[in-house]
Amino acid sequence: MIAVVDDDEAMRDALSELLQVLSMDCRTFERAESFLAAYSPGTFDCLISDLRMPGMSGMGLIRELKARGSRLPVIVITSSTEVESQSEAIAGGAFAYLTKPVSEELLTRHLNAALAL
């Protein structure tokens, strides 16, 4: 089960459709807080998250998961090309940092690698 957290409905829908084409189950959330309310260890196999969202940011979500002892791989997909954001996300535990627009091939490669952990 792949979780997708993004405040952009079009992005959530596009990712959900891609995951369905790849025969992967998916559940979408528009806010980090709603994902955390549904999260428990073992519920999800990977998380795809935006960084910039209302309320808790994607970095806040990564930090919260780490504080809970989660080993859930997190793939960040964001429009931010700032080197500082990328460095912070990877140092904070993100498995991958991809910038929008992201190709299906690149996302699929990172997703398969994350699921192989």
Side-chain angles (χ1 to χ4, degrees):
M1 175 69 68
I2 312 300
V4 175
V5 180
D6 198 312
D7 62 313
D8 180 343
E9 183 178 8
M11 187 66 175
R12 283 193 318 272
D13 290 346
L15 288 169
S16 177
E17 289 174 14
L18 171 61
L19 293 168
Q20 288 175 357
V21 166
L22 296 172
S23 299
M24 295 182 184
D25 291 327
C26 151
R27 186 164 168 202
T28 62
F29 303 88
E30 69 177 290
R31 297 179 63 102
E33 294 87 350
S34 57
F35 167 76
L36 287 171
Y39 173 78
S40 63
T43 305
F44 300 99
D45 300 300
C46 187
L47 167 63
I48 299 172
S49 180
D50 191 7
L51 278 187
R52 297 179 181 164
M53 298 180 285
M56 181 183 286
S57 70
M59 274 311 307
L61 177 55
I62 292 169
R63 284 191 291 271
E64 178 61 28
L65 287 169
K66 191 172 185 178
R68 293 183 184 194
S70 173
R71 298 183 54 89
L72 182 68
V74 179
I75 297 174
V76 172
I77 300 180
T78 183
S79 58
S80 175
T81 58
E82 299 168 2
V83 174
E84 297 83 17
S85 294
Q86 181 176 11
S87 297
E88 182 182 5
I90 297 298
F95 180 81
Y97 186 98
L98 309 175
T99 55
K100 295 176 185 175
V102 64
S103 73
E104 291 179 15
E105 296 81 21
L106 182 62
L107 176 58
T108 302
R109 188 172 65 229
H110 284 287
L111 188 55
N112 286 331
L115 293 171
L117 293 177

